[in-house]
Amino acid sequence: VLGMQDGPLMHGACAATAFTLQTVAEHSLEMKFLPTRGRHLVTTRAFRSGELVLSTQPYAFVVHSQYRGGRCSMCFSLPAEGAQLRRCAGCHTEYYCGPECQQHAWRAYHRFECRVIHDAPEIQYVLPSCVRDEVDLAVRLLCLRKGGASTKGQGGGLTFADVLSLESHIADIRANPEHKEGNVRVAQLVLQRAPGLATQDEVCELLGRMQCNDFAIWDSLIVSTGAGLYPAAAMINHSCDANCVVSYDTRTKAQQFRALRDLAAGEEVTHCYLDLAATAAQRGSNLRKQYYFSCVCKRCTEDRKTLDMMLDGSLPEADSRQGDLAAAGTLHERGTDLSLEPAVQEEALRHALSLRERLLNPLNLQLMSTRCHLLNILLEENKWAESLPLCRQVVDVYRHVYPPNHPMIGLQLYTLGDILRYLGEPRLALPSYQEAFRILSVSHGPQNELVVGLAQLLQQLVSSSQTPSRSDCCGEKTVSPRQ
């Protein structure tokens, strides 16, 4: 078995390390166990909407493979204009924005893996980004395990025992031939990069723990830049009707859960593991496939029929025009093909939108997806007037898809304010910015860089009626559904 330095403490019918139990207790939380809920966290006091519920550091993290060489491996930041990232002279695979990040990475994790990576043969064929990320994170975890590393100074005492305390669903994976065979193939790649550090069975078990518990690390615009293992947060259960939302400081990797609404003492803390822009059936299928459980929240039970009719519904005339619906789907795929020129994509999306608007419910998720993709292209082309009605429609759908105070609503309102501001309507932009500020202060926290910048912009708009320059417009904040 994968060895421990300090074994997990039994708490009820499950395990957690003393450090992790102490961490959650310091945040006025308590770990509990129920056969139907597994390990989970409950509050020991009341929390107000927007209040920080839990903040922790990861035991290990990696920058997404598609950004390797383009972003700092430690802080995930882009190089300064005109500057180049510094490549590790030992393994030639890690890149840093400067000596401070390079030294920090060396102390935290890279001293345990640099020689292992340098001596191992490079994988000679192209892997999907998600697979390469799994390989990179697993190799890092095995190297940290071999070195007996803890995160003192980074997370304050996490060890590999915290990784072993995580749910692996190993029995479920072994009973799923497709998942089992996929993990065997990934384990073989891991052992190519880290030979002799574990057996194939041990790596497969580690992959199970990672796949059920790791987090995407995203920036303020909810764009994923890396992945990490946060043992305390992994005990927070899923709900499609969640009461908390997660955000990150990508430079420090601090993960923060904030209350979306007021929480009572003794209430279970939950967050949503997937994007809510999906029907209950789609969400349920994704949860069972990756996490091996079904959600029984109010949104997935009592509200399921009403919500799904709204998000997946069509107009009566669609029944006799199935060919047009199929054509709209083909046009949408063409419009989202990044290998095509933007003008070709735009034309295809306009045709798809025309068909879907005539046949689908105004809140239909397929229609919303087409609108979002077309909106992104129009913003890139600075077509602000055409962007305005699309952005308003997306905001309206988001209000039905996501709960109040969700960052997706806040970010889209921020974009709506930007469009109005660039069109020379700062007074009309003000209400959108104010609502965006209120929502993002709850989801991201008042000290978040994006929220601070928005506060400064609001102050400028209130004190001045000058129209901003084009370079001030922030249309890139538009976020398409993650489907």
Side-chain angles (χ1 to χ4, degrees), residues 90-334:
C91 65
H92 304 297
T93 62
E94 297 292 293
Y95 293 80
Y96 305 100
C97 60
E100 182 178 353
C101 273
Q102 187 167 10
Q103 292 167 12
H104 190 180
W106 182 260
R107 292 191 299 269
Y109 62 85
H110 197 50
R111 60 193 171 108
F112 301 108
E113 67 183 14
C114 187
R115 176 55 60 181
V116 172
I117 296 172
H118 175 272
D119 291 343
E122 181 59 56
I123 297 172
Q124 296 300 316
Y125 47 91
V126 177
L127 297 173
S129 177
C130 59
V131 176
R132 185 58 195 251
D133 293 342
E134 278 193 334
V135 172
D136 290 344
L137 185 56
V139 169
R140 179 157 295 168
L141 286 167
L142 291 174
C143 291
L144 291 173
R145 171 205 174 200
K146 180 183 178 181
S150 74
T151 57
K152 291 179 180 177
Q154 184 183 16
L158 293 171
T159 68
F160 197 78
D162 289 281
V163 179
L164 294 176
S165 73
L166 301 175
E167 173 63 67
S168 69
H169 282 288
I170 191 65
D172 294 312
I173 293 173
R174 286 172 177 166
N176 183 333
E178 182 180 0
H179 196 166
K180 177 183 176 181
E181 292 168 10
N183 278 5
V184 167
R185 290 193 294 270
V186 175
Q188 291 168 348
L189 296 173
V190 171
L191 293 174
Q192 285 183 39
R193 300 290 290 150
L197 293 189
T199 67
Q200 181 173 291
D201 286 344
E202 289 172 342
V203 178
C204 285
E205 185 175 342
L206 178 61
L207 290 171
R209 298 182 195 280
M210 290 166 47
Q211 290 158 356
C212 295
N213 295 282
D214 66 357
F215 288 82
I217 300 173
W218 54 59
D219 62 17
S220 297
L221 304 182
I222 318 186
V223 176
S224 180
T225 54
L229 213 54
Y230 294 80
M235 293 190 290
I236 299 178
N237 274 340
H238 163 85
S239 173
C240 295
D241 189 22
N243 55 29
C244 287
V245 67
V246 62
S247 63
Y248 296 87
D249 181 333
T250 54
R251 293 190 66 86
T252 66
K253 304 302 171 298
Q255 181 192 60
Q256 299 181 336
F257 286 85
R258 296 183 180 275
L260 282 171
R261 54 172 175 77
D262 292 348
L263 305 182
E267 185 172 353
E268 182 180 356
V269 176
T270 60
H271 81 104
C272 191
Y273 289 7
L274 38 69
D275 190 1
L276 286 172
T279 64
Q282 291 167 339
R283 297 195 308 273
S285 175
N286 291 336
L287 287 170
R288 288 188 294 273
K289 183 176 180 179
Q290 181 168 356
Y291 300 105
Y292 295 97
F293 69 81
S294 297
C295 183
V296 292
C297 74
K298 183 173 181 290
R299 185 184 179 103
C300 292
T301 53
E302 298 175 33
D303 299 340
R304 173 174 181 157
K305 185 176 181 180
T306 302
L307 283 171
D308 284 3
M309 286 180 62
M310 177 179 64
L311 302 179
D312 196 35
S314 58
L315 301 178
E317 52 267 38
D319 292 339
S320 61
R321 298 180 61 183
Q322 292 300 311
D324 285 343
L325 277 179
T330 301
L331 287 165
H332 178 88
E333 291 180 7
R334 180 173 175 80

Side-chain angles (χ1 to χ4, degrees), residues 328-344:
T330 301
L331 287 165
H332 178 88
E333 291 180 7
R334 180 173 175 80
T336 55
D337 185 346
L338 298 180
S339 67
L340 300 177
E341 292 294 323
V344 176

